[in-house]
Amino acid sequence: SAVISQKPSRDICQRGTSLTIQCQVDSQVTMMFWYRQQPGQSLTLIATANQGSEATYESGFVIDKFPISRPNLTFSTLTVSNMSPEDSSIYLCSVDLTTSGRAYNEQFFGPGTRLTVL
Amino acid sequence: AQSVTQPDIHITVSEGASLELRCNYSYGATPYLFWYVQSPGQGLQLLLKYFSGDTLVQGIKGFEAEFKRSQSSFNLRKPSVHWSDAAEYFCAVGHTGRRALTFGSGTRLQVQP
């Protein structure tokens, strides 16, 4: 398993500002993911962040709006830029702990960052 | 593209009653299937997973799920619900070509005393 922490746990921000969310894992992982959960909705993948390469964004999400950093195997950041009220969501990071010899392993999720944009 | 359908948005059961939450997926090959639970204000916790083998899988907190390929389903069950089970439940699917998960819309479970 993995222990994942996120900072901040919640924030209230003004329209037009930016917020950077940090995700820290207690072990080295290759693949990290960022999801968004809008109020009352399910989780939607924003991007996949692999160490040493550019993040891969899903349709509807762009790097200018959601820049991601992945400086090492235990850490990643997601920035929500030029925020609007529509960005009010829970943002969650997750890690894939696939081990050698296994085709797939479960993903572990961080506790999430609850963002409110006024 | 893969997709996940949870047809029940909201379910209410009495404490002690049995529970079944439905999940249907759409994917050409054998998917990897998961059930997660999210309590209010909490993150996602993995209840159980199916990769291969025995189609009836046991999870934490007394939950189990059965993979039925013919019905493209992975329904979650619990024989006796506790008040603490009230939460949002998400079914998710992945596969070897895509490590990220695709989530269903979720089912909110309410437990009546």
Side-chain angles (χ1 to χ4, degrees), chain B residues 1-64:
Chain B
Q2 61 196 24
S3 65
V4 181
T5 301
Q6 293 180 248
D8 304 307
I9 297 173
H10 187 198
I11 285 182
T12 300
V13 299
S14 299
E15 190 168 15
S18 63
L19 171 71
E20 182 170 26
L21 302 182
R22 295 182 292 167
C23 173
N24 294 96
Y25 66 90
S26 173
Y27 179 62
T30 300
Y32 303 117
L33 296 160
F34 307 83
W35 276 99
Y36 287 87
V37 60
Q38 185 178 41
S39 299
Q42 304 296 312
L44 286 168
Q45 182 181 22
L46 179 68
L47 286 175
L48 47 78
K49 61 192 178 191
Y50 173 79
F51 294 156
S52 64
D54 192 345
T55 57
L56 183 63
V57 294
Q58 302 297 320
I60 62 171
K61 303 184 178 184
F63 286 93
E64 67 177 25

Side-chain angles (χ1 to χ4, degrees), chain A residues 31 33 35 37 40-43 45 48 58 90 92 96 98 102-112 114, chain B residues 32 34 36 38 40-44 46 49 51 88 90 93-96 98-106:
Chain A
M31 304 188 75
F33 307 92
Y35 290 84
Q37 186 179 22
Q41 303 296 314
S42 185
L43 284 80
L45 181 68
T48 301
E58 297 296 297
I90 300 173
L92 300 101
D96 179 348
T98 300
R102 292 284 300 272
Y104 203 95
N105 203 338
E106 66 266 27
Q107 288 192 11
F108 292 89
F109 284 81
R114 185 178 295 272
Chain B
Y32 303 117
F34 307 83
Y36 287 87
Q38 185 178 41
Q42 304 296 312
L44 286 168
L46 179 68
K49 61 192 178 191
F51 294 156
E88 186 91 21
F90 292 97
V93 62
H95 61 88
T96 54
R98 178 180 168 83
R99 295 295 184 183
L101 299 181
T102 299
F103 284 83
S105 54

